[in-house]
Short mmCIF file of all heavy atoms in Angstrom, two decimals:
data_model
loop_
_atom_site.label_atom_id
_atom_site.label_comp_id
_atom_site.label_asym_id
_atom_site.label_seq_id
_atom_site.Cartn_x
_atom_site.Cartn_y
_atom_site.Cartn_z
N PHE L 268 24.24 0.18 25.59
CA PHE L 268 23.05 -0.51 26.12
C PHE L 268 23.25 -1.96 26.67
O PHE L 268 22.64 -2.34 27.57
CB PHE L 268 21.94 -0.54 25.02
CG PHE L 268 21.25 0.82 24.84
CD1 PHE L 268 21.52 1.55 23.82
CD2 PHE L 268 20.31 1.18 25.96
CE1 PHE L 268 20.90 2.86 23.73
CE2 PHE L 268 19.73 2.38 25.78
CZ PHE L 268 20.00 3.26 24.64
N SER L 269 24.31 -2.54 26.12
CA SER L 269 24.74 -3.88 26.67
C SER L 269 25.13 -3.67 28.14
O SER L 269 24.70 -4.34 29.08
CB SER L 269 25.82 -4.49 25.91
OG SER L 269 25.40 -4.92 24.70
N PHE L 270 26.08 -2.66 28.33
CA PHE L 270 26.56 -2.36 29.74
C PHE L 270 25.30 -2.09 30.63
O PHE L 270 25.29 -2.63 31.70
CB PHE L 270 27.46 -1.19 29.71
CG PHE L 270 28.85 -1.50 29.39
CD1 PHE L 270 29.13 -2.48 28.41
CD2 PHE L 270 30.01 -0.76 29.79
CE1 PHE L 270 30.49 -2.84 28.05
CE2 PHE L 270 31.26 -1.07 29.50
CZ PHE L 270 31.51 -2.11 28.61
N THR L 271 24.50 -1.14 30.24
CA THR L 271 23.38 -0.80 30.98
C THR L 271 22.46 -1.98 31.40
O THR L 271 22.27 -2.18 32.61
CB THR L 271 22.48 0.22 30.24
OG1 THR L 271 23.36 1.17 29.62
CG2 THR L 271 21.53 0.95 31.21
N PHE L 272 22.15 -2.78 30.38
CA PHE L 272 21.17 -3.86 30.68
C PHE L 272 21.86 -5.01 31.45
O PHE L 272 21.25 -5.61 32.26
CB PHE L 272 20.59 -4.44 29.38
CG PHE L 272 19.54 -3.47 28.76
CD1 PHE L 272 19.66 -3.15 27.48
CD2 PHE L 272 18.56 -2.92 29.55
CE1 PHE L 272 18.72 -2.29 26.89
CE2 PHE L 272 17.52 -2.10 29.08
CZ PHE L 272 17.73 -1.77 27.68
N VAL L 273 23.20 -5.12 31.29
CA VAL L 273 23.89 -6.16 32.07
C VAL L 273 23.92 -5.73 33.55
O VAL L 273 23.60 -6.53 34.42
CB VAL L 273 25.26 -6.38 31.58
CG1 VAL L 273 26.21 -7.02 32.67
CG2 VAL L 273 25.29 -7.20 30.26
N VAL L 274 24.13 -4.44 33.79
CA VAL L 274 24.15 -4.01 35.22
C VAL L 274 22.70 -4.11 35.84
O VAL L 274 22.59 -4.62 36.90
CB VAL L 274 24.64 -2.54 35.26
CG1 VAL L 274 24.44 -2.00 36.63
CG2 VAL L 274 26.12 -2.46 34.87
N LEU L 275 21.74 -3.67 34.98
CA LEU L 275 20.35 -3.80 35.52
C LEU L 275 19.98 -5.26 35.78
O LEU L 275 19.45 -5.66 36.84
CB LEU L 275 19.36 -3.24 34.48
CG LEU L 275 19.34 -1.73 34.48
CD1 LEU L 275 18.24 -1.27 33.37
CD2 LEU L 275 18.84 -1.20 35.84
N ALA L 276 20.34 -6.18 34.86
CA ALA L 276 20.02 -7.59 35.09
C ALA L 276 20.76 -8.11 36.22
O ALA L 276 20.23 -8.97 37.03
CB ALA L 276 20.39 -8.33 33.80
N ASP L 277 22.02 -7.72 36.40
CA ASP L 277 22.79 -8.20 37.58
C ASP L 277 22.14 -7.76 38.87
O ASP L 277 22.08 -8.49 39.84
CB ASP L 277 24.22 -7.65 37.50
CG ASP L 277 25.16 -8.32 38.44
OD1 ASP L 277 25.11 -9.55 38.58
OD2 ASP L 277 25.91 -7.61 39.03
N LEU L 278 21.66 -6.48 38.85
CA LEU L 278 21.04 -5.93 40.08
C LEU L 278 19.77 -6.86 40.35
O LEU L 278 19.66 -7.19 41.48
CB LEU L 278 20.52 -4.55 39.81
CG LEU L 278 20.39 -3.58 40.96
CD1 LEU L 278 21.79 -3.35 41.52
CD2 LEU L 278 19.79 -2.32 40.51
N LEU L 279 18.92 -7.10 39.31
CA LEU L 279 17.77 -7.90 39.56
C LEU L 279 18.09 -9.28 40.00
O LEU L 279 17.54 -9.85 40.95
CB LEU L 279 16.97 -7.98 38.22
CG LEU L 279 16.22 -6.76 37.83
CD1 LEU L 279 15.48 -6.98 36.49
CD2 LEU L 279 15.13 -6.43 38.91
N LEU L 280 19.13 -9.91 39.38
CA LEU L 280 19.47 -11.29 39.78
C LEU L 280 20.07 -11.31 41.24
O LEU L 280 19.71 -12.25 41.98
CB LEU L 280 20.52 -11.84 38.78
CG LEU L 280 20.00 -12.21 37.46
CD1 LEU L 280 21.09 -12.50 36.41
CD2 LEU L 280 19.02 -13.49 37.58
N SER L 281 20.78 -10.29 41.54
CA SER L 281 21.30 -10.22 42.92
C SER L 281 20.15 -10.11 44.00
O SER L 281 20.14 -10.74 45.05
CB SER L 281 22.29 -9.12 43.14
OG SER L 281 23.42 -9.29 42.32
N MET L 282 19.17 -9.27 43.59
CA MET L 282 18.03 -9.03 44.49
C MET L 282 17.31 -10.33 44.62
O MET L 282 16.98 -10.80 45.74
CB MET L 282 17.10 -8.03 43.87
CG MET L 282 17.43 -6.64 44.41
SD MET L 282 16.64 -5.33 43.36
CE MET L 282 14.92 -5.77 43.47
#
Side-chain angles (χ1 to χ4, degrees):
Chain L
F268 281 104
S269 292
F270 276 32
T271 315
F272 287 130
V273 162
V274 171
L275 283 178
D277 193 39
L278 207 67
L279 284 177
L280 285 169
S281 296
M282 269 160 61

